[in-house]
Amino acid sequence: MTEADTRYAQRFPVLEPAQLDTARRFASGPVRRFSPGEVVFAVGEEQAPVWLILEGDIVIVRRDGLGHEKAVVTQGPGQFTGEVSQLAGRASLAEGRAGSGGCAALPIDTAHLRALMIGAAELGEVVMRALILRRVGLIEGGAAGSVLVGHPGDPNLLRLQGFLTRNGYPNTLLDAENDEEGRAVVERLGVVDADLPLMVCPNGTVLRRPSEAEAAICLGMTPELDPAKVYDVAIVGAGPAGLATAVYAASEGLSVIVLDQRAIGGQAGASSRIENYLGFPTGISGQALAGRAYNQALKFGAELAIPLQVARLECASDGPGKPHRLELESGEAVQARTVVVATGARYRRPGIDNLSPFEGSGVSYWASPVEARLCAGEEVALVGGGNSAGQAVVFLASKVKALNLVVRGPGLEASMSKYLIDRIAALPNVRIHVHTEITALEGDGDTGLTGAVFRDRRSGETHLCPMRHLFLFVGADPNADWLEACVGLDDKGFVETGGTVALPLQTDRPGIFAIGDVRAGSTKRVAAAVGEGAAVVSQIHQYLASLEA
């Protein structure tokens, strides 16, 4: 059996009789019969269950927002429908129709599906692997998900594409000017450039120049929040630290909600390859690592609310043990007995006077496959000397003609891991500019970035380096503004913890914890963030036990 055959069998397994009997125990309703051709579940349908097929078959079809359809598979008795959307309780990305002979199937809703994952571990492994591989198939197979129509290189188009990609949602890009179908969509809708990019959702809804929040609502990503519910743990930030907390807290029976304004993975999610994370000797991309953690958190019952931005932590409290309240930009609120601050850090902007006009139009703060495609075969520059910068250099070097690495100091040794330094030294198209900074950018709104002025910090000499793409990895500042004066911060704005020996990750406000890059004194490494995410759960248990006592 080839690897392709093996993966196919894992994507669409046929349950053995004993496994089928086990799965039937987790049904959330009675057997339902569907007539030939009847829709079992539709694209965009929210809370669509997994269907366990007992008789007949179901034809699975993927469809994009423009109505392009492609059959994926026909599933028969002993098989089950669904992908990761069903595990998350989100809108379906595919459609299922009863076959020519009709079908009979049992529904397994989100709650019962998660119960199956935990209560029947071996069967749960089979189901989880299938759901993940099916989502990957939708992303890679085309004719599924949203269609984006715009001008390649447009910052708003890149923003939307990055948002969908980092959250694992399939999308297709059409050039509004040079692609025949893209032009046809623009002409049919009568839109002007100011309306671009367009996003055509899987259900056919057309959004003009949407925000991430508007896109998420159209896709059914955003959950409905119950303002009266009090969670055991509210985690702000879905980077490695926050996701680790979600996995461990939910697996231990705590009710958990995770909020993030943009995407899973945080800054680590934008890393092309992490090679010094324990257990992955060949490396793993930040997005893949975040995706695995996300699925684990869903499996144990954590609720992930993305993209929802927390506006502020309400400082006032009626007394010890009363719920903490998080106010959202949307006007909604979340209540929780404990709050874990895992908001990490935001990208630092260097002091270049005319930087803003080029952000998203030649200047990027991360190096994902989207940016790599835009600068393929060209000369680029990257500023930074840390591990994130090193990972980006290694990733980009194989895509570009030449890469100029700009470092303010005398070299890379003080801030970058040796394995990355050695790898960069072996790259023939990378030139390192030490004791150098960028003082100005060249270009305009029509042409975008055309060059950058390099300045030698020792001699003061400057020269213009022609380029159309500049990557900035110059560190980050703590993302703690939303905390206002609720918890103690150090002089650099990082959250201070460790006021008690028993709860070293607790802030000066009882029940509020801080982990990962946002915490003062933390080690800025993915593994350290994950470790703190695990460690904080035991301290949360101690805090909650003290309230009970």
Side-chain angles (χ1 to χ4, degrees), residues 46 156 159-164 167 169 199 201 205 207-223 260-263 305-310 328-332:
E46 297 192 20
N156 286 301
R159 170 181 55 80
L160 270 178
Q161 193 178 16
F163 169 72
L164 296 175
N167 282 296
Y169 274 74
M199 175 174 167
C201 302
T205 300
L207 303 179
R208 304 187 181 203
R209 207 180 181 89
S211 66
E212 284 97 331
E214 291 168 333
I217 291 171
C218 196
L219 290 171
M221 287 175 61
T222 309
D260 196 287
Q261 71 182 87
R262 188 164 291 109
I306 300 170
L308 288 178
Q309 182 172 356
V310 177
L328 309 183
E329 288 285 354
S330 62
E332 299 171 284

Side-chain angles (χ1 to χ4, degrees), residues 306-358:
I306 300 170
L308 288 178
Q309 182 172 356
V310 177
R312 62 186 291 267
L313 170 65
E314 192 174 276
C315 297
S317 177
D318 293 332
K322 297 296 182 182
H324 299 286
R325 178 183 169 90
L326 294 166
E327 297 181 2
L328 309 183
E329 288 285 354
S330 62
E332 299 171 284
V334 170
Q335 298 185 85
R337 300 168 73 193
T338 63
V339 174
V340 177
V341 180
T343 42
R346 56 180 175 270
Y347 300 104
R348 188 174 296 155
R349 302 170 77 252
I352 303 173
D353 290 339
N354 61 339
L355 176 63
S356 296
F358 298 102

Side-chain angles (χ1 to χ4, degrees), residues 362 375 377-382 400-406 429 431 433 438 440-443 447-454 462-471:
C375 63
E378 299 184 13
E379 182 168 357
V380 304
L382 187 147
V400 302
K401 176 183 177 182
L403 190 150
N404 298 279
L405 177 56
V406 180
N429 61 338
R431 180 185 176 192
H433 303 261
I438 292 179
L441 302 178
E442 298 284 332
T447 61
L449 182 69
T450 58
V453 177
F454 288 14
T462 63
H463 72 275
L464 178 66
C465 181
M467 71 185 71
R468 299 192 62 82
H469 302 277
L470 171 64
F471 297 87

Side-chain angles (χ1 to χ4, degrees), residues 150-159 193 196-197 209 360-361:
H151 300 296
D154 174 15
N156 286 301
L157 179 62
L158 294 175
R159 170 181 55 80
D193 272 2
L196 297 178
R209 207 180 181 89
S361 183

Side-chain angles (χ1 to χ4, degrees), residues 247-440:
V247 169
Y248 288 105
S251 70
E252 295 179 13
L254 297 175
S255 59
V256 177
I257 185 169
V258 184
L259 302 125
D260 196 287
Q261 71 182 87
R262 188 164 291 109
I264 59 172
Q267 287 195 63
S271 295
S272 57
R273 184 168 297 275
I274 302 170
E275 295 190 70
N276 59 352
Y277 189 75
L278 185 68
F280 294 93
T282 60
I284 184 171
S285 73
Q287 186 175 343
L289 184 65
R292 295 182 184 197
Y294 171 79
N295 291 326
Q296 276 184 297
L298 290 178
K299 168 183 173 179
F300 290 118
E303 185 173 344
L304 286 101
I306 300 170
L308 288 178
Q309 182 172 356
V310 177
R312 62 186 291 267
L313 170 65
E314 192 174 276
C315 297
S317 177
D318 293 332
K322 297 296 182 182
H324 299 286
R325 178 183 169 90
L326 294 166
E327 297 181 2
L328 309 183
E329 288 285 354
S330 62
E332 299 171 284
V334 170
Q335 298 185 85
R337 300 168 73 193
T338 63
V339 174
V340 177
V341 180
T343 42
R346 56 180 175 270
Y347 300 104
R348 188 174 296 155
R349 302 170 77 252
I352 303 173
D353 290 339
N354 61 339
L355 176 63
S356 296
F358 298 102
E359 291 180 317
S361 183
V363 172
S364 300
Y365 292 88
W366 53 84
S368 75
V370 174
E371 287 76 30
R373 284 193 293 270
L374 288 174
C375 63
E378 299 184 13
E379 182 168 357
V380 304
L382 187 147
V383 182
N387 275 2
S388 295
Q391 290 160 357
V393 168
V394 171
F395 170 65
L396 289 170
S398 63
K399 321 289 183 183
V400 302
K401 176 183 177 182
L403 190 150
N404 298 279
L405 177 56
V406 180
V407 184
R408 286 174 57 88
L412 302 172
E413 289 75 11
S415 55
M416 189 180 292
S417 295
K418 190 175 186 303
Y419 81 92
L420 285 171
I421 295 174
D422 292 343
R423 188 163 299 172
I424 290 170
L427 296 171
N429 61 338
V430 174
R431 180 185 176 192
I432 303 177
H433 303 261
V434 297
H435 294 294
T436 302
E437 61 187 359
I438 292 179
T439 57

Side-chain angles (χ1 to χ4, degrees), residues 36-290:
E38 183 178 354
V39 174
V40 180
F41 57 91
V43 172
E45 179 182 337
E46 297 192 20
Q47 300 293 337
V50 161
W51 290 94
L52 182 64
I53 305 169
L54 305 179
E55 301 173 16
D57 49 41
I58 295 178
V59 180
I60 308 300
V61 176
R62 60 185 174 209
R63 184 192 308 122
D64 66 20
L66 296 178
H68 300 128
E69 264 191 18
K70 185 176 181 181
V72 177
V73 68
T74 297
Q75 296 184 277
Q79 295 188 292
F80 54 90
T81 66
E83 47 87 37
V84 172
S85 292
Q86 277 59 57
L87 185 59
R90 302 292 186 258
S92 177
L93 294 179
E95 180 173 287
R97 305 168 189 154
S100 58
C103 70
L106 274 171
I108 304 177
D109 64 17
T110 297
H112 288 78
L113 181 60
R114 289 173 171 173
L116 182 154
M117 297 284 185
I118 305 302
E122 291 186 7
L123 176 59
E125 181 181 344
V126 173
V127 175
M128 174 65 87
R129 182 184 295 112
L131 299 184
I132 293 172
L133 289 175
R134 291 173 190 177
R135 171 63 70 90
V136 172
L138 288 173
I139 293 172
E140 295 177 345
S146 303
V147 177
L148 303 178
V149 184
H151 300 296
D154 174 15
N156 286 301
L157 179 62
L158 294 175
R159 170 181 55 80
L160 270 178
Q161 193 178 16
F163 169 72
L164 296 175
T165 301
R166 287 192 60 185
N167 282 296
Y169 274 74
N171 60 90
T172 303
L173 176 63
L174 296 179
D175 189 325
E177 185 174 354
N178 299 315
D179 184 279
E180 182 178 347
E181 189 171 19
R183 288 198 309 272
V185 172
V186 170
E187 291 170 3
R188 184 172 72 248
L189 296 175
V191 300
V192 296
D193 272 2
D195 294 327
L196 297 178
L198 299 177
M199 175 174 167
V200 189
C201 302
N203 62 5
T205 300
V206 178
L207 303 179
R208 304 187 181 203
R209 207 180 181 89
S211 66
E212 284 97 331
E214 291 168 333
I217 291 171
C218 196
L219 290 171
M221 287 175 61
T222 309
E224 292 186 12
L225 299 176
D226 180 357
K229 181 173 182 178
V230 178
Y231 294 89
D232 292 322
V233 189
I235 303 163
V236 187
L243 290 173
T245 304
V247 169
Y248 288 105
S251 70
E252 295 179 13
L254 297 175
S255 59
V256 177
I257 185 169
V258 184
L259 302 125
D260 196 287
Q261 71 182 87
R262 188 164 291 109
I264 59 172
Q267 287 195 63
S271 295
S272 57
R273 184 168 297 275
I274 302 170
E275 295 190 70
N276 59 352
Y277 189 75
L278 185 68
F280 294 93
T282 60
I284 184 171
S285 73
Q287 186 175 343
L289 184 65

